[in-house]
Amino acid sequence: MTRYSTYSNDDSRPSGKRRSRGPIMAAKKRAEGAKQDDGKYKDTVDLPKTAFGLRANSTVREPELQKIWDDNQVFKRVVESNNGGTFVLHDGPPYANGDLHMGHALNKILKDIINRYKLLQNFRVQYVPGWDCHGLPIELKVLQSLDDDARKELTPLKLRNKAAKFAKSTVQSQMASFKRYGVWADWDQHYLTLHPEYEAAQIEVFGQMAIKGFIYRGRKPVHWSPSSRTALAEAELEYNEEHVSKSMYAIFKLVGVPASYDSLKEFWPNLCLAIWTTTPWTIPANAAVAVNGKLQYAVVEVTSASIDGSTSSADGKKRLGNFMKGNKSLFLIVALDLVSTLESKWGLKLTLKKTVMGSDLDNCRYTHPIDSRECPVVIGGDYITTESGTGLVHTAPGHGQEDYVTGLKYGLPLVSPVDDDGKFTEEAGQFRGLDVLGNGNVAVIDYLDEHLSMVMVEPYKHKYPYDWRTKKPTIFRATEQWFASVEGFRDAAMDAINHVTWIPSQAVNRISAMTSGRSDWCISRQRTWGVPIPVFYQVESKEPLMNEETVDHIRSIVSQKGSDAWWYMAVEELLPEKYRDKASNYEKGTDTMDVWFDSDQLCYMGGVLTGPELACLEDESGVKEDVRWMCGHTRRDGIRNEDIRDKGGSGLRGGQAD
């Protein structure tokens, strides 16, 4: 075989070593030549000489620049040199409960940009930063740092001292970080909501609102957190869209109808109301079944069913009840539009026998499935639809806002047999001591099944309110609380909204909608670390004592000694002179104010907010806090002339480390 090569005979097989050295040697020779030429022209070129670094070296340079700003009081001198109008940044305070995060950075830097822009426009900028220092976030931080033995020995005063120490330490840490961000502010004059003068002003505002009728005490269902053992406001909730409840279809047996409409008696004695609920644990508190007076309802016969309570669906998640056992025939009342849906869901044949209007069912009577008392059928509101369930709503006024409103209309009893820990009380009978969100819920379902009242139970995924701090489910529970009546100043708030410049302009639409539909605000908290609600209760009757004289006396004490005085001073010392001879008849309240009530007092703190032009910058992903902030501004004397710049919910109120 003949081989051909382009190499000469001597180089026909060049070695790898020889081939690889060629480029290396060439590069070496070029480098040696470059060294000989190095500096050949440097003396002939006139280059600038400077000490300016080629690198930013920010970690070193930025602190040096900020020290120059501080040493030379640049912010103060620029403000004093301007002679335009006054621009006051109304800054919502962050919580003093942890290190800063990106939300704080976004918040404070955006505000700093606005302040600097106003400085360049020749405005005299006033920015007094502050911190929310009370509330559950800080109390939880303190409790989490203690072991079980330390918690057992913790008195209210010890807890408050630890919380104050933690808050002040966190303020210093956060302030240093804000300065490191490069934010210009009057850091030496910052305010803390735990300062005695601030607490005293807050008590004064509370008293004035109470005297004007804007604050009242009532027993109403509120969001209650068993994990925190306190009531929560709407803004303290977050909604978990992955929450799964045990939803239940149940039947309540009819035992009476109005004399004017007795045609239903032909289905006696096996006629029942079919209800659906995602909170079976509230059945012991049931006081009525509500229907929509405008909907059509059907009387259906349940047939072709061979139901065994031990059977379940193929996926093992849906369980059918024993409600058909012993019944040769059974008639149910459900919404007409839902008959086919329920037939498919239950796997039963539902034969239509009669139709009635919801209004015809008003004042029918049924037997409570647990304690056998008679309860009425009532007409509810538009919240009763045919989108889900049966079209009939189990109503427990002590465990739901809509149920509560319906209960007021019909004078229904307000039953709520649940304690602070979310467990059934003695009032719940055989369920006492059980956790309503756990074994108590299961026990109620099993009881109804054993007594032939449970049709079906299945998992139901839906949006459910959680405590934003503990990340655990909440419940609706009727308790004695203090409320701010939004109705008392709703018109003032709506009027003020229309006198504000909103950026972007469409932001006014959402806050108007929220304010117009805002319910009363629960402002009391069952916690230790906070400003006390300045009220005394008559020992026997529990009647509250709070008037202008008592509030003013407490305010004067707090202004000198701080709010700790409420915990270490005796009742006779806290009461004005005219009540001291009756001090043994009173006890001081233990509730504290919602921490949002603290920050809302900014508008009334002398020296913090002054000047004709006021910027109120909101930092919210939604509008719940916007509404509270706005209502806080208007609840006394109406809003001042504010320029509220809303950034579409992207973030411009105090960033909060929750």
Side-chain angles (χ1 to χ4, degrees):
M1 180 176 180
T2 305
R3 290 187 173 91
Y4 298 92
S5 174
T6 58
Y7 294 99
S8 64
N9 289 336
D10 293 337
D11 298 330
S12 60
R13 294 179 182 271
S15 67
K17 181 177 180 180
R18 182 174 182 180
R19 291 174 60 192
S20 63
R21 289 182 61 190
I24 296 175
M25 295 300 295
K28 185 176 180 181
K29 290 181 178 180
R30 286 196 298 271
E32 290 175 350
K35 288 181 180 179
Q36 294 175 359
D37 294 336
D38 188 25
K40 183 176 180 180
Y41 299 104
K42 67 178 182 180
D43 295 329
T44 66
V45 179
D46 190 12
L47 295 175
K49 294 179 175 58
T50 177
F52 191 84
L54 297 179
R55 297 180 180 178
N57 201 15
S58 299
T59 56
V60 175
R61 290 291 295 145
E62 285 184 4
E64 292 175 350
L65 289 173
Q66 289 166 5
K67 187 176 186 304
I68 293 173
W69 294 347
D70 290 341
D71 292 345
N72 293 276
Q73 296 185 317
V74 174
F75 176 54
K76 181 180 179 181
R77 290 168 64 184
V78 171
V79 170
E80 291 176 347
S81 66
N82 287 350
N83 54 18
T86 299
F87 178 84
V88 180
L89 174 59
H90 186 176
D91 183 26
Y95 279 128
N97 73 319
D99 294 331
L100 301 186
H101 52 62
M102 288 302 295
H104 292 98
L106 173 66
N107 179 278
K108 282 294 189 289
I109 292 172
L110 286 177
K111 290 175 178 176
D112 191 56
I113 291 172
I114 294 171
N115 276 342
R116 291 174 187 252
Y117 168 70
K118 287 293 185 178
L119 284 172
L120 292 174
Q121 287 188 313
N122 200 34
F123 282 96
R124 299 174 66 88
V125 172
Q126 295 183 25
Y127 174 27
V128 180
W131 279 265
D132 267 333
C133 298
H134 293 124
L136 186 58
I138 295 171
E139 187 171 330
L140 285 179
K141 286 282 189 178
V142 172
L143 292 174
Q144 290 167 1
S145 68
L146 304 175
D147 57 30
D148 292 338
D149 292 336
R151 290 190 187 191
K152 291 177 182 178
E153 298 178 358
L154 200 62
T155 64
L157 271 176
K158 287 182 179 179
L159 174 57
R160 288 179 61 84
N161 289 335
K162 289 181 180 293
K165 183 178 179 180
F166 175 85
K168 291 176 181 177
S169 174
T170 303
V171 166
Q172 294 303 315
S173 174
Q174 289 190 4
M175 188 188 303
S177 297
F178 284 138
K179 289 181 178 180
R180 184 65 182 85
Y181 288 170
V183 176
W184 279 358
D186 193 353
W187 297 110
D188 293 335
Q189 301 299 321
H190 66 273
Y191 69 89
L192 304 181
T193 59
L194 57 71
H195 284 157
E197 63 271 20
Y198 196 104
E199 294 176 327
Q202 183 172 332
I203 287 175
E204 179 183 7
V205 170
F206 183 95
Q208 290 182 7
M209 290 180 63
I211 292 168
K212 291 180 180 180
F214 289 169
I215 287 179
Y216 66 93
R217 183 170 174 80
R219 189 165 186 258
K220 297 172 60 176
V222 296
H223 289 286
W224 183 271
S225 171
S227 56
S228 295
R229 302 183 83 252
T230 186
L232 299 178
E234 182 68 28
E236 296 172 296
L237 303 173
E238 59 184 22
Y239 287 85
N240 183 350
E241 298 192 2
E242 299 300 317
H243 181 86
V244 178
S245 297
K246 288 182 181 292
S247 70
M248 180 182 69
Y249 293 88
I251 57 175
F252 301 164
K253 189 173 183 178
L254 272 181
V255 294
V257 294
S260 59
Y261 196 81
D262 59 0
S263 62
L264 291 177
K265 287 186 176 180
E266 63 179 287
F267 305 106
W268 244 240
N270 297 320
L271 180 59
C272 299
L273 304 168
I275 64 96
W276 175 72
T277 179
T278 59
T279 55
W281 61 269
T282 61
I283 294 294
N286 172 267
V289 168
V291 297
N292 188 326
K294 301 175 184 178
L295 290 180
Q296 272 194 309
Y297 289 83
V299 177
V300 296
E301 183 178 10
V302 183
T303 58
S304 66
S306 177
I307 300 177
D308 183 352
S310 64
T311 63
S312 61
S313 63
D315 59 11
K317 294 182 178 180
K318 180 168 67 175
R319 177 163 68 95
L320 299 176
N322 295 305
F323 72 108
M324 285 294 289
K325 282 188 175 181
N327 284 323
K328 294 182 179 179
S329 61
L330 179 66
F331 301 94
L332 303 180
I333 296 178
V334 298
L336 179 62
D337 292 345
L338 290 169
V339 171
S340 60
T341 300
L342 295 173
E343 191 174 50
S344 174
K345 180 177 286 291
W346 295 346
L348 305 174
K349 178 64 177 176
L350 304 181
T351 304
L352 181 63
K353 293 295 183 180
K354 186 181 183 66
T355 60
V356 297
M357 291 300 296
S359 56
D360 296 330
L361 298 173
D362 188 21
N363 206 31
C364 286
R365 313 289 293 183
Y366 67 90
T367 302
H368 193 283
I370 295 178
D371 58 24
S372 299
R373 55 189 163 84
E374 282 194 15
C375 300
V377 176
V378 299
I379 305 300
D382 293 335
Y383 63 90
I384 303 172
T385 69
T386 56
E387 293 180 0
S388 59
T390 65
L392 295 91
V393 175
H394 140 64
T395 300
H399 294 295
Q401 182 59 35
E402 291 163 335
D403 296 24
Y404 174 76
V405 173
T406 300
L408 288 179
K409 178 181 176 183
Y410 284 89
L412 300 176
L414 191 66
V415 181
S416 182
V418 182
D419 65 15
D420 292 355
D421 293 313
K423 295 181 179 180
F424 282 120
T425 63
E426 294 285 338
E427 193 177 3
Q430 67 266 37
F431 306 114
R432 63 183 177 276
L434 300 179
D435 185 350
V436 300
L437 292 176
N439 54 6
N441 202 39
V442 174
V444 172
I445 294 172
D446 290 344
Y447 179 91
L448 294 184
D449 194 19
E450 292 169 6
H451 290 77
L452 311 183
S453 295
M454 194 272 280
V455 178
M456 188 183 77
V457 62
E458 65 176 348
Y460 180 70
K461 187 169 77 170
H462 61 129
K463 187 166 66 173
Y464 191 88
Y466 275 54
D467 185 330
W468 72 334
R469 299 176 182 105
T470 63
K471 310 301 179 185
K472 293 183 179 181
T474 63
I475 60 176
F476 251 111
R477 173 187 174 223
T479 59
E480 291 281 350
Q481 301 289 342
W482 289 92
F483 298 88
S485 174
V486 178
E487 196 61 42
F489 48 83
R490 192 188 309 276
D491 291 342
M494 294 299 294
D495 181 66
I497 287 172
N498 294 326
H499 287 82
V500 169
T501 301
W502 294 84
I503 302 173
S505 58
Q506 63 266 29
V508 68
N509 297 328
R510 65 174 191 166
I511 197 168
S512 295
M514 287 293 290
T515 304
S516 63
R518 177 82 169 139
S519 59
D520 286 358
W521 168 18
C522 177
I523 60 174
S524 52
R525 295 292 180 271
Q526 289 65 53
R527 307 304 301 184
T528 301
W529 179 233
V531 177
I533 291 180
V535 62
F536 302 91
Y537 297 99
Q538 215 281 336
V539 174
E540 296 294 334
S541 66
K542 303 302 179 183
E543 189 71 21
L545 170 65
M546 182 169 56
N547 53 43
E548 189 170 0
E549 192 172 359
T550 62
V551 171
D552 186 63
H553 183 68
I554 295 167
R555 180 202 58 76
S556 64
I557 292 174
V558 170
S559 67
Q560 300 172 32
K561 302 181 179 182
S563 60
D564 280 353
W566 184 259
W567 276 266
Y568 68 72
M569 290 180 67
V571 172
E572 52 267 28
E573 297 175 289
L574 293 169
L575 283 168
E577 185 69 33
K578 66 178 289 187
Y579 293 99
R580 288 180 183 172
D581 59 336
K582 300 178 181 178
S584 60
N585 296 331
Y586 292 98
E587 59 186 8
K588 52 189 173 184
T590 57
D591 290 346
T592 55
M593 299 184 205
D594 178 8
V595 68
W596 284 93
F597 200 90
D598 291 25
S599 58
D600 283 347
Q601 308 318 309
L602 280 173
C603 294
Y604 314 116
M605 290 298 296
V608 173
L609 297 176
T610 56
E613 184 175 358
L614 182 64
C616 179
L617 308 181
E618 305 289 340
D619 173 20
E620 315 300 349
S621 58
V623 294
K624 294 182 295 185
E625 292 83 355
D626 292 3
V627 174
R628 180 172 301 171
W629 193 259
M630 177 64 71
C631 290
H633 291 350
T634 59
R635 60 176 174 250
R636 277 184 65 200
D637 304 316
I639 284 194
R640 294 159 60 174
N641 179 25
E642 303 196 34
D643 176 17
I644 298 186
R645 303 183 184 273
D646 179 86
K647 298 299 181 182
S650 62
L652 279 186
R653 187 187 165 270
Q656 309 210 356
D658 48 34

